[in-house]
Amino acid sequence: MRRCGARCTLFLLFTCLFLGAAHARTWSFKVGSSGSLKELLRRASPGDTIHVKGVVQEGTLTIDKPLCLIGLNDAVIDGERKGEVLLITASDVTVQGFIIRGTRQSDLDDNAGIKAKECARTTLRRNRLEGCFFAIYLSGSKGALVEDNIIEGGDVDENQMGNGIHLWKCSAATIRGNTIRRHRDGIYFEFVTDSHIERNTSIGNTRYGLHFMFSHRDGYANNLFENNGAGVAVMFSHDISMTNNRFLSNRGGSSYGLLLKEINDGVITGNLFSDNTTGLMVDGCNRIRTEHNVFMLNGWALRLYANASACHFGSNTFKGNTFDLSTNGDLMLNTIAANYWDRYIGYDLDRNGEGDTPYRPLGFFTLLVERMPFAMVFSRSLFVSLLDRAERVIPSLSPEAMKDDRPLMRPPHG
């Protein structure tokens, strides 16, 4: 009897799903025709598809059932600055092909071009969001896909704009192929787990190209972060992976390509750090493997603070940086081995590709600038070069363990 009951239940479930799919309708809505898009959203049944043409100006639109909302011929949804533009409160909603604008700027509410709250499997694809306070805002969402959207902020002060793509308490999200410009943070994660950020371009944002906190088991691959106010900040998280990203031209007094703060168990591999004030800053981190990266033409390539432990740096290329390595203390609980340093002038008698003498990348002037930043005015002087050379030959100030015992003779990255 139990088996029969279970079979009957499954049969009824599949029958309902089949009948629901069979009765799904496709609606066409054109601005100027009778009725409104709000009315059509109320009339539509779960599973329906609505094609939209024209410029829709109806304030905030709410989708509270599973639907596909498709914009044709650059359809526009303008929120007329009344609040949110598009609010999604149901699972299995797709929004695709729209130009979205007209959020209300607020000091109290996080109004967004598209906001999804407490729902699953939201798909936002190939939309263009223009001048929105927050562009895309996901809260309490599971399994969302945000793909191939173009997000452009406005020419306003930082306190008058929100983030481009903002996720709060989400899981299993995929953020892929988006372009974000001129927002506060390009991409923002907080309490986001088991998610992926892939092939995005985050350029010219006033604060961070990417900013995430308390977000665990996330992967970040093949993204470009360029010319952002303070670069990329990764804080208070564990089990992260950052591979094959480019951190370029993030410059300023407190800027860096990538800041790692209080991170446990991470992999930083295959990335390019170029033309940043600081390429990579490691502060209070544990068990970070930093391998096969290129640090080129930065002010400081790597700032490794003394409160980091059990981190490994190997097979990286350091080339053309003002300072290859800097630290703020004498304690050294990390390993640095088998990197290429363009300033290394040692020899390789046994021809195994590794120098026969250690390389000490931490020079006297680097330590001096770390303690007295105003000493930077003497950079590149002959006297400083002589002091640095003397410190590397007869180290007296740099921590004993702050050296590479197996410096590579050639860059491992071509």
Side-chain angles (χ1 to χ4, degrees):
M1 291 297 291
R2 289 182 179 176
R3 287 186 178 179
C4 181
R7 287 174 180 171
C8 291
T9 301
L10 287 172
F11 175 77
L12 289 173
L13 177 61
F14 284 119
T15 300
C16 291
L17 290 173
F18 175 78
L19 290 175
H23 287 85
R25 299 179 58 184
T26 298
W27 304 79
S28 293
F29 176 82
K30 185 176 181 180
V31 176
S33 61
S34 59
S36 67
L37 184 54
K38 279 186 178 180
E39 180 184 349
L40 182 53
L41 287 170
R42 285 193 295 267
R43 289 169 49 201
S45 300
D48 286 359
T49 298
I50 301 175
H51 292 157
V52 179
K53 293 182 180 179
V55 179
V56 179
Q57 293 179 299
E58 300 180 18
T60 300
L61 299 175
T62 300
I63 302 177
D64 57 4
K65 64 194 73 168
L67 288 174
C68 288
L69 192 63
I70 310 297
L72 303 179
N73 303 325
D74 293 326
V76 176
I77 301 179
D78 190 331
E80 302 179 288
R81 302 195 179 280
K82 294 181 178 180
E84 320 278 7
V85 178
L86 195 58
L87 178 61
I88 300 170
T89 60
S91 297
D92 299 297
V93 170
T94 295
V95 177
Q96 176 177 311
F98 288 95
I99 297 173
I100 295 176
R101 61 194 184 211
T103 58
R104 180 185 178 186
Q105 180 186 315
S106 173
D107 294 329
L108 300 176
D109 301 312
D110 296 335
N111 295 318
I114 303 175
K115 179 177 283 187
K117 297 177 63 176
E118 304 298 330
C119 48
R121 298 175 298 280
T122 304
T123 298
L124 309 176
R125 181 185 288 121
R126 293 197 292 276
N127 301 288
R128 183 180 183 93
L129 295 100
E130 300 177 342
C132 296
F133 184 47
F134 284 78
I136 293 173
Y137 193 118
L138 306 180
S139 174
S141 295
K142 297 180 180 179
L145 173 62
V146 180
E147 184 175 44
D148 296 334
N149 301 282
I150 297 175
I151 298 170
E152 291 274 357
D155 293 321
V156 295
D157 294 336
E158 181 179 319
N159 60 357
Q160 295 178 309
M161 70 176 71
N163 302 320
I165 298 175
H166 183 108
L167 274 70
W168 163 264
K169 288 189 176 180
C170 298
S171 63
T174 298
I175 313 299
R176 182 169 59 212
N178 304 282
T179 298
I180 311 105
R181 293 186 176 92
R182 296 191 299 167
H183 272 271
R184 183 173 62 198
D185 293 346
I187 303 172
Y188 180 89
F189 273 21
E190 190 165 2
F191 302 108
V192 178
T193 58
D194 304 298
S195 298
H196 300 278
I197 293 179
E198 305 167 352
R199 296 190 288 103
N200 300 281
T201 298
S202 185
I203 296 178
N205 298 288
T206 59
R207 192 168 66 174
Y208 298 111
L210 166 68
H211 184 194
F212 70 90
M213 300 186 294
F214 312 108
S215 297
H216 313 309
R217 301 182 302 279
D218 297 325
Y220 308 83
N222 301 298
N223 302 286
L224 169 62
F225 305 106
E226 183 174 3
N227 194 30
N228 298 292
V232 171
V234 181
M235 303 178 180
F236 314 112
S237 304
H238 63 74
D239 295 287
I240 67 163
S241 171
M242 305 195 76
T243 60
N244 300 325
N245 302 286
R246 289 176 290 159
F247 303 88
L248 309 178
S249 302
N250 300 289
R251 293 175 292 192
S254 299
S255 295
Y256 23 74
L258 173 61
L259 164 66
L260 302 178
K261 182 171 178 61
E262 305 292 339
I263 304 298
N264 295 322
D265 302 295
V267 175
I268 313 296
T269 183
N271 302 284
L272 171 63
F273 299 87
S274 181
D275 194 28
N276 304 287
T277 300
T278 298
L280 173 62
M281 180 181 289
V282 180
D283 182 2
C285 298
N286 302 291
R287 299 177 300 279
I288 305 296
R289 294 194 67 84
T290 303
E291 299 174 324
H292 304 288
N293 303 285
V294 175
F295 297 87
M296 182 173 66
L297 303 176
N298 301 284
W300 284 265
L302 170 62
R303 301 184 82 168
L304 177 59
Y305 281 7
N307 57 3
S309 65
C311 298
H312 173 73
F313 301 85
S315 299
N316 301 291
T317 294
F318 294 84
K319 187 175 181 179
N321 305 292
T322 302
F323 304 111
D324 288 330
L325 178 63
S326 179
T327 190
N328 64 343
D330 297 330
L331 189 64
M332 178 60 178
L333 302 175
N334 309 284
T335 59
I336 301 173
N339 300 279
Y340 173 78
W341 313 86
D342 66 340
R343 291 188 177 90
Y344 179 62
I345 55 174
Y347 45 84
D348 179 20
L349 296 179
D350 56 7
R351 300 187 179 227
N352 66 348
E354 299 176 356
D356 296 337
T357 58
Y359 177 65
R360 297 181 178 274
L362 191 60
F364 169 80
F365 188 61
T366 308
L367 292 167
L368 182 64
V369 170
E370 191 68 42
R371 291 163 172 77
M372 295 182 290
F374 58 84
M376 182 64 77
V377 297
F378 299 105
S379 177
R380 302 190 186 280
S381 69
L382 177 60
F383 179 66
V384 165
S385 298
L386 292 174
L387 287 176
D388 272 347
R389 184 69 61 85
E391 176 66 20
R392 291 192 179 101
V393 174
I394 309 175
S396 59
L397 296 175
S398 59
E400 173 62 25
M402 191 72 77
K403 62 181 178 178
D404 189 336
D405 286 317
R406 297 159 45 212
L408 301 180
M409 300 302 295
R410 293 182 177 82
H413 308 95

